[in-house]
Amino acid sequence: MRASLASSIAVTCAAVLALPVSLTAPAAASAPPAAALALPPAPELPGSTQSLPLEPLGAATRALGGAAGAGEQGLTRRDVRPFSLVGVVWDDPAAPLHGTVQVRTRATGGGAWSQWQDVETHNDEHGADPDTAEGSARALRGSTAPLWVGDSDGVEIRVRGEEPLPAGLRLELVDPGEGPGEDPAAASEESAPRARGVAAPAVRAGTAAAEEAASAANARLAPYGATWIPALPKEETELTARNMPQAQAAPAAAAAKPYIGPRPKIITRKGWGADERIREKGFIYTKTIKAAFVHHSATGNNYTCKQAPSVLRSIYRYHVKSSGWRDFGYNFAVDKCGNIYEGRAGGVAKPVMGAHTLGFNTNSMGIAVLGTFSRSAPPAAAVTAIARLTAWKLGLHGVNPKGTSYLISGGGNLYKKGKKVRFNAIAGHRDGFATDCPGGRLYNKLGTARTSSAKYQGRL
């Protein structure tokens, strides 16, 4: 597979950046007072983003017990259109935000406000490698991690800087929109049709080209439009893998075919409701997969597994519309119940280049466990899902999950550009960057994941 291979499939990009309306906004002179309280209808496209510029905090900050100053910005309580995820962005992606970001929200239709919640300021530790087209795109912005808050219609935020705050701070409020009616996480494996060696379908009238392309990328694993890719036993997985194009492109992987773990069930982008129109067209691939970096999404743990597709749609929109990335950053996601989801488009069995571990996205893959695991222990189901996913995906490329691999730094991290760095085949994000990610409690479980993954491959 050629590095940085891009598809030429066309796509029409449709983007809606909905501007917020606050209760404090002045009403038109001719309108009655009640009209000032009316919020505009939600856009027709699934999902939307409200972007609110932050303001200097003065008397409001002092009332919260802080000292007002140039290093503090935010917004006082206000009503907004419904949203479920929050984050903060700023103009210069290279400018760090050193300080604290805290928000509190009001549940939709409730009236009760939450406690203050911290938003992780991860300062460029995620994202595309610096010298790639995505990493140097003009649309890129600095951004915090996103935080899932659930259905809300009121917000308050305060940002306190230890150093001068970056310019252009804005609060992003993301509504994930409605997802597909079927719940692929709960669907029966027995009802899933299987596909092996299925040719890519012709573009169908009335269907977006980008959606066709995303489905066709998985055509050898599931039929067009499938909401999930079914699990396969180890023997069938090995048989299917022999017929994949990378078997001819990677002799080392072909020699290690007995060490491919059984393919787990994977919920596709179609299954979690990705709007293919908002990402950039085409796909970008690297040569192979040598290592898997494990992350936590830092979106908090206050979600149900039924809500996981909504969390993914929110992160996806935040990555693309707010942060300026070409697509969802991670190659895969795992929820607290152990469900595995396709992340960045391009095909789950292919070496898709992501934007998950700054400087080490080439020849690696990123897995985000939905949640925050700095103080909370990851569910056993999530750790098992990491093991099952890596046993399969690393196995396709002849990688021993208990072994090590070398990657070349693309710069922007702990290592200078061009340095050859050795990683565990299943590594944590913190191994390549000065970050807490994937959280200490999840990081401590990676040894368990490596051992289990090797067992799934049949190595132990």
Side-chain angles (χ1 to χ4, degrees), residues 37-59:
L37 303 180
L39 297 174
E44 294 182 0
L45 288 178
S48 62
T49 303
Q50 303 171 69
S51 186
L52 290 73
L54 300 192
E55 305 165 351
L57 290 175

Side-chain angles (χ1 to χ4, degrees), residues 218 220-221 229-234 236-238 240-241 244 246 256-257 259-266 289 331-332 340 342 347-350 365 385-399 401 426 452-454 456-457:
N218 291 315
R220 290 180 176 271
L221 309 180
I229 295 166
L232 285 183
K234 192 175 190 299
E236 291 187 60
T237 299
E238 293 166 2
T240 302
M244 290 183 177
Q246 62 259 41
K257 289 303 179 187
Y259 296 113
I260 301 174
R263 187 180 74 201
K265 175 182 175 180
I266 302 172
I289 300 296
N331 298 103
F332 296 93
I340 300 171
E342 177 184 17
V348 297
K350 299 178 181 179
M365 70 178 193
I386 293 171
R388 290 177 57 82
L389 174 59
T390 53
W392 171 69
K393 187 63 182 281
L394 293 178
L396 292 178
H397 297 273
V399 177
I426 300 177
S452 297
S453 183
Y456 284 126
Q457 284 190 349

Side-chain angles (χ1 to χ4, degrees), residues 60-77:
T61 299
R62 289 192 292 272
L64 294 171
E72 296 179 90
Q73 295 184 30
L75 295 171
T76 55
R77 290 187 182 186

Side-chain angles (χ1 to χ4, degrees), residues 311-359:
V311 177
L312 288 171
R313 291 196 303 278
S314 298
I315 297 173
Y316 173 43
R317 178 168 283 272
Y318 184 74
H319 282 177
V320 176
K321 306 305 295 181
S322 300
S323 300
W325 300 358
R326 75 184 314 271
D327 192 357
F328 190 85
Y330 309 103
N331 298 103
F332 296 93
V334 172
D335 69 23
K336 62 174 66 174
C337 292
N339 298 305
I340 300 171
Y341 301 84
E342 177 184 17
R344 179 161 288 207
V348 297
K350 299 178 181 179
V352 178
M353 187 170 189
H356 48 84
T357 306
L358 185 69

Side-chain angles (χ1 to χ4, degrees), residues 142-224:
S143 58
T144 68
L147 177 68
W148 175 262
V149 294
D151 294 340
S152 305
D153 60 9
V155 67
E156 181 176 9
I157 180 170
R158 60 191 184 194
V159 179
R160 295 175 173 174
E162 298 169 359
E163 299 177 3
L165 294 172
L169 288 171
R170 298 187 298 284
L171 173 65
E172 303 286 287
L173 304 175
V174 181
D175 172 18
E178 294 297 324
E182 181 185 19
D183 181 2
S188 169
E189 288 284 352
E190 296 180 358
S191 65
R194 295 181 179 181
R196 299 186 185 89
V198 180
V203 175
R204 304 179 184 183
T207 303
E211 184 175 340
E212 292 280 357
S215 185
N218 291 315
R220 290 180 176 271
L221 309 180
Y224 167 81

